[in-house]
Amino acid sequence: MLSSSSRLLRVLSLLQTRSHWAGPELAERLAVHPRTLRRDIDRLRQLGYPIHASSGVAGGYAFRAGQSLPPLLLDDEEALAVAIALQIAAAGTVSGVEESSLRALVKLEQVMPTRLRRRTGALRSAIVPVQRMGPTIDASVLATLATACRDQLQVGFSYRDLRGQASVRQVQPHGLVHTGHHWYLVAWDPARDDWRTFRIDRVQGTPRTGAHFAPRPPPAGDLRAYVTGAMAGVHQQGEQARVLLHQPREVMAKTIPPSAAALEAIDDAHCLMLCGTGQLDSLVYWLMALDVEFDVLEPPVLKERLRRASERVGRSLARGGEDGRLPEPHP
């Protein structure tokens, strides 16, 4: 039989693992009488935990949102995960949460048992943050968009695209994706009757939420796959590059990330690379640096850029000679 305080912690832990518990089932799990369970629920409510009770055949107990944040109950692995996340957030790409993340981390470490504090300290000393990759975004903008995705609310915002062109968008948000460098919103754009991705750091001002909308199945199977495909130009309208690589797909997938291009298997020795043609000069450099035989299928302009690049390399080698000496200056 658990002690009263231990049982309260056990009740609280179980209530946080699922959205609803039937009263008899929860009492049986705790090996107590239903009356004892009711008294424990009352004590937890007095401590500030918002526990809702319902009666009837489907009656039971559920943890609900309250007016203030009650104490949380975390196991060792959960506490360690939160500590790591807070440390990363303190040096992350979401602005406005650095100081609060540090305060929360200090509070968490103060109440940690010694064994966990040592593990957290070891991780802190081992994790060396690097310079931030990508622009920072405002935490309130991220929270507003996340809420709109969760509650299926239309959202409007001013947006400035890669070319600096400004527009006002009214979309149906479906999810947020972080690629490691940027945050993206994936949304259905009714005005364009298609899916769109939006870099959140290019959202201007505060987004405005509107009416509810009916959800749609995610594009490309899941949002992450769609965003990486959009970054590679796979979903764009118009011309695309199609390049035959003389290596199997599983080999090239180790070198070419999904955010750069899509790879399709052809046979055991070849695969097809698909990507956008928005930056042809970068694509030429990338192909020449792949260290793999390839054949450009389309577009013709990419073939022409590669021909010019190869001629420029040939002229450079011819001018430099075999001894690598600098040319004599003109008198």
Side-chain angles (χ1 to χ4, degrees), residues 11 32 49 126 169 183 215 227 239 243 252 319:
V11 172
V32 298
Y49 293 98
R169 316 302 286 266
W183 283 90
V227 169
E239 201 168 43
V243 181
M252 298 311 303
R319 286 194 301 268

Side-chain angles (χ1 to χ4, degrees), residues 46-314:
Q46 292 172 3
L47 293 173
Y49 293 98
I51 302 173
H52 175 73
S54 57
S55 57
V57 177
Y61 302 100
F63 206 90
R64 296 286 186 261
Q67 299 299 319
S68 59
L69 183 66
L72 298 177
L73 182 64
L74 303 173
D75 62 27
D76 285 7
E77 297 305 319
E78 290 170 342
L80 196 60
V82 172
I84 295 172
L86 288 171
Q87 183 176 346
I88 294 173
T93 58
V94 180
S95 64
V97 298
E98 299 91 346
E99 183 180 351
S100 56
S101 297
L102 286 174
R103 291 201 309 267
L105 181 59
V106 170
K107 291 180 180 179
L108 181 61
E109 290 184 343
Q110 285 178 340
V111 298
M112 277 184 174
T114 303
R115 64 180 185 279
L116 278 185
R117 195 177 300 117
R118 288 173 179 169
R119 293 177 66 185
T120 304
L123 284 169
R124 176 179 293 181
S125 62
I127 297 175
V128 179
V130 297
Q131 185 178 2
R132 292 179 179 178
M133 301 296 292
T136 59
I137 61 173
D138 188 87
S140 62
V141 171
L142 190 65
T144 299
L145 293 175
T147 301
C149 293
R150 182 197 64 189
D151 298 339
Q152 297 168 1
L153 298 174
Q154 296 183 36
V155 64
F157 52 84
S158 299
Y159 189 73
R160 189 172 297 277
D161 64 16
L162 179 63
R163 301 177 182 85
Q165 297 178 346
S167 62
V168 177
R169 316 302 286 266
Q170 188 74 27
V171 300
Q172 299 173 358
H174 281 253
L176 304 174
V177 176
H178 186 229
T179 64
H181 298 282
H182 302 288
W183 283 90
Y184 289 88
L185 169 69
V186 181
W188 177 263
D189 191 335
R192 292 157 178 81
D193 195 31
D194 200 1
W195 292 97
R196 289 291 186 269
T197 60
F198 301 93
R199 278 254 307 261
I200 297 180
D201 58 286
R202 294 181 182 147
V203 172
Q204 309 290 306
T206 303
R208 305 166 299 281
T209 55
H212 288 274
F213 63 88
R216 300 170 181 268
D222 65 87
L223 300 185
R224 185 176 296 276
Y226 180 77
V227 169
T228 54
M231 292 170 62
V234 175
H235 310 304
Q236 72 179 14
Q237 299 292 327
E239 201 168 43
Q240 286 190 344
R242 299 174 68 249
V243 181
L244 179 67
L245 303 178
H246 293 235
Q247 284 288 346
R249 184 187 183 282
E250 56 269 21
V251 173
M252 298 311 303
K254 298 176 182 178
T255 304
I256 302 175
S259 58
L263 296 174
E264 296 180 359
I266 294 181
D267 54 35
D268 293 340
H270 301 84
C271 66
L272 183 66
M273 184 184 78
L274 302 171
C275 62
T277 58
Q279 297 180 342
L280 280 176
D281 290 333
S282 297
L283 183 55
V284 167
Y285 169 81
W286 192 49
L287 285 171
M288 297 180 70
L290 273 180
D291 193 25
V292 63
E293 295 294 321
F294 63 87
D295 301 314
V296 175
L297 304 181
E298 56 184 350
V301 65
L302 178 57
K303 297 180 181 181
E304 177 62 20
R305 294 288 183 94
L306 282 165
R307 186 186 63 78
R308 293 179 186 175
S310 65
E311 292 176 352
R312 189 164 58 249
V313 171

